[in-house]
């Protein structure tokens, strides 16, 4: 394991484990030009992100701000069509105020596709040169924020990969890192045991309320977290899936409940509520695993632990994704896309603690600069859609009680 942990120091005191440039389209009409800029730049440290919507959305603006000022981001190029609702000038100003170099291109004012693409490639090179001088300083484990999700779950997920990640979370929390698990829609039925782990009664009540909100949302909309692919993979009930998802949280006390874009205030274990607030409206709480990863990144996650039983090949822009494979048969078929073989637990080749330590070591290695498999393969998936959230209440991030 590489123990030389260091980070790129940002103006707000946070440290990044990567130093990338984001090219951000501010409406779907600017997506193609932005992608051309990224492709022609042909640099692994230039990532495409964006929001497709034209109608104003506070959540989307908050998320774009959080991503563009993420500690792994060194600078940003914003690409606007020119008539979308995204407040491009405010977003540009907030990025620059964070100490990052940032530029804005407006396609309607810059001469169209070819002219804007050419200007964008030149802008990216300027930004890369500017961020190359960012100071790299020693970084402690308690400065890391780590997220986890599960995708492509099957009957093995809840008995190998998920609990192994839970053990890794316990190790990281013990060293003062912040760890985030989600999503409340996949934890229906686990609200009481999560509330019992909350560090204050008020937090326990907030956890129960957010799971009740998720259950109401799913019931009204007529869908749930149990997908056909889960059943094909051997999962039998919603209870089985919920308990499997819950096992990713480990056994540490739950320190807070946050919503997308909220940054943990200290080390500890946090639950991320991703189900929109208010009355249910058409749409899904998250349309894919990538949407969940993006929301974890917006909460400051330096990297994400992704468990899968049936297999997945996704990664992410901005923050590396570490794949933990639950099923030994899936590992044998898709080992080229996986980082950790938790299926060894099922075949009697390793214990939960041993795989938990292996995941922990991989977290440190990737934080030190070693690429995860999806990162090395060039995966930079990114999805951001409409949602609506209210600010978290005072009980969600309770003050720590000494002793």
């Amino acid at each position: 394991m590489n123990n030389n942990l260091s980070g790129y120091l940002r103006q707000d005191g946070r440290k990044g484990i990567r130093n990338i440039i984001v090219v951000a389209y501010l409406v779907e009409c600017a997506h193609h030009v932005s992608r051309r800029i990224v492709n022609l730049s042909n640099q692994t440290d230039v990532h495409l992100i964006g929001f497709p919507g034209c109608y104003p959305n506070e959540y989307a603006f908050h998320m774009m701000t959080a991503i563009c000022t993420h500690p792994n981001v060194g600078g940003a190029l914003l690409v606007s069509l020119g008539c979308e609702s995204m407040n491009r000038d405010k977003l540009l100003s907030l990025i620059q105020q964070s100490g990052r170099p940032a530029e804005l291109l407006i396609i309607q004012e810059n001469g169209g596709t070819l002219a804007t693409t050419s200007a964008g490639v030149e802008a990216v090179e300027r930004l890369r040169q500017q961020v190359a001088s960012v100071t790299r300083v020693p970084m402690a484990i308690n400065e890391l924020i780590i997220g986890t999700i599960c995708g492509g779950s099957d009957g093995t997920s809840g008995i190998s990969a998920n609990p192994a990640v839970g053990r890794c979370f316990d190790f990281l929390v013990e060293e003062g890192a912040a760890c985030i698990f989600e999503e409340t829609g996949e934890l229906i039925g686990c609200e009481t045991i999560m509330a019992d782990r909350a560090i204050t009664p008020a937090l326990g009540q907030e956890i129960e309320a957010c799971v009740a909100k998720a259950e109401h949302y799913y019931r009204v909309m007529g869908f749930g977290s149990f997908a056909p692919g889960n059943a094909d993979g051997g999962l039998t009930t919603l209870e089985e899936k919920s308990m499997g998802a819950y096992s990713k949280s480990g056994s540490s006390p739950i320190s807070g409940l946050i919503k997308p874009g909220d940054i943990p205030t200290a080390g500890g274990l946090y639950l991320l509520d991703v189900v929109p607030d208010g009355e249910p409206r058409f749409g899904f709480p998250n349309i894919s695993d990538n949407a969940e990863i993006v929301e974890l990144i917006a909460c400051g996650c330096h990297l994400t632990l992704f468990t899968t039983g049936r297999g997945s090949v996704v990664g992410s822009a901005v923050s590396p994704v570490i794949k933990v494979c639950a099923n030994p048969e899936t590992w044998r078929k898709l080992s080229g896309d996986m980082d950790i073989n938790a299926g060894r637990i099922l075949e009697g080749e390793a214990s939960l603690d041993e795989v938990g330590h292996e995941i922990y070591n991989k977290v440190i290695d990737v934080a030190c600069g070693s690429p995860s498999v999806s990162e090395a393969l060039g995966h930079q998936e990114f999805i951001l859609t409409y949602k609506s959230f209210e600010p978290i209440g005072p009980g969600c991030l309770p003050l720590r009680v000494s002793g």
Side-chain angles (χ1 to χ4, degrees):
M1 181 184 70
N2 188 342
N3 290 301
N4 298 317
L5 187 58
S6 64
Y8 296 94
L9 182 63
R10 308 303 179 192
Q11 184 172 282
D12 63 3
R14 294 190 294 169
K15 299 167 187 175
I17 63 171
R18 298 293 186 268
N19 194 33
I20 68 169
I21 301 297
V22 292
V23 176
Y25 57 92
L26 306 186
V27 67
E28 183 63 24
C29 303
H31 189 162
H32 176 72
V33 171
S34 301
R35 186 175 296 279
R36 281 174 57 88
I37 292 169
V38 172
N39 289 344
L40 291 172
S41 296
N42 195 29
Q43 302 290 340
T44 58
D45 59 355
V46 180
H47 292 199
L48 178 69
I49 68 170
F51 175 63
C54 193
Y55 191 80
N57 184 249
E58 183 179 346
Y59 159 81
F61 184 85
H62 179 49
M63 292 287 287
M64 288 292 284
T65 303
I67 298 291
C68 290
T69 59
H70 187 280
N72 286 355
V73 173
L77 171 63
L78 307 182
V79 183
S80 161
L81 174 62
C83 55
E84 69 280 344
S85 66
M86 180 72 70
N87 190 334
R88 56 180 180 263
D89 294 326
K90 183 179 180 181
L91 180 58
L92 179 68
S93 176
L94 289 172
I95 298 169
Q96 292 172 336
Q97 289 174 33
S98 76
R100 292 165 174 81
E103 297 190 27
L104 168 66
L105 292 174
I106 302 174
I107 296 170
Q108 290 172 346
E109 299 177 8
N110 208 77
T113 298
L114 295 180
T116 307
T117 299
S118 177
V121 172
E122 293 175 1
V124 165
E125 187 53 36
R126 283 194 299 272
L127 293 168
R128 292 186 71 244
Q129 291 176 9
Q130 291 177 72
V131 306
S133 60
V134 175
T135 303
R136 192 156 192 171
V137 298
M139 184 176 182
I141 291 175
N142 64 11
E143 296 177 274
L144 287 173
I145 303 178
I146 311 298
T148 187
I149 74 162
C150 49
S153 300
D154 69 5
T156 69
S157 297
I159 52 179
S160 60
N162 290 3
V165 165
R167 297 293 173 91
C168 173
F169 264 22
D170 289 341
F171 304 148
L172 288 165
V173 169
E174 188 175 353
E175 295 197 50
C179 294
I180 305 174
F181 72 107
E182 50 83 61
E183 78 183 284
T184 48
E186 293 192 356
L187 294 166
I188 294 170
C190 300
E191 58 271 19
T192 302
I193 52 178
M194 290 192 294
D196 288 342
R197 292 170 58 191
I199 63 173
T200 68
L203 174 59
Q205 292 171 4
E206 294 280 4
I207 290 173
E208 291 188 69
C210 85
V211 176
K213 177 190 68 173
E215 184 175 10
H216 173 66
Y217 198 106
Y218 278 32
R219 184 172 61 253
V220 170
M221 297 307 298
F223 58 78
S225 66
F226 196 95
N230 299 145
D232 291 343
L235 280 170
T236 59
T237 62
L238 180 60
E239 289 82 359
E240 184 182 4
K241 186 174 184 184
S242 291
M243 288 303 297
Y246 169 78
S247 67
K248 299 197 306 297
S249 67
S251 59
S252 302
I254 298 177
S255 297
L257 172 67
I258 59 177
K259 298 182 183 183
D262 295 328
I263 310 297
T265 54
L269 179 65
Y270 295 81
L271 171 61
L272 174 60
D273 175 12
V274 302
V275 176
D277 290 327
E279 283 303 306
R281 288 170 283 184
F282 179 77
F284 292 81
N286 272 324
I287 61 173
S288 76
D289 297 327
N290 293 101
E292 299 173 30
I293 296 173
V294 167
E295 290 181 328
L296 286 166
I297 294 171
C299 292
C301 287
H302 292 91
L303 55 85
T304 299
L305 301 174
F306 187 121
T307 67
T308 183
R310 301 202 66 187
S312 173
V313 299
V314 304
S316 181
V318 180
S319 296
V321 170
I322 294 174
K323 293 278 193 26
V324 183
C325 186
N327 190 321
E329 291 300 321
T330 302
W331 171 268
R332 284 186 271 273
K333 290 186 291 186
L334 293 174
S335 60
D337 282 276
M338 304 293 158
D339 295 274
I340 302 290
N341 179 13
R344 294 184 299 125
I345 297 168
L346 301 179
E347 297 187 322
E349 298 176 0
S351 67
L352 276 174
D353 275 344
E354 288 171 338
V355 176
H357 279 293
E358 184 181 356
I359 298 169
Y360 172 92
N361 291 341
K362 178 61 70 172
V363 166
I364 302 304
D365 279 346
V366 171
C368 287
S370 298
S372 69
V373 171
S374 64
E375 191 179 13
L377 289 171
H379 282 281
Q380 296 181 9
E381 288 84 352
F382 189 94
I383 297 174
L384 179 59
T385 58
Y386 286 101
K387 280 190 181 181
S388 178
F389 286 96
E390 300 167 3
I392 56 173
C396 293
L397 289 176
L399 296 175
R400 293 179 175 275
V401 181
S402 59

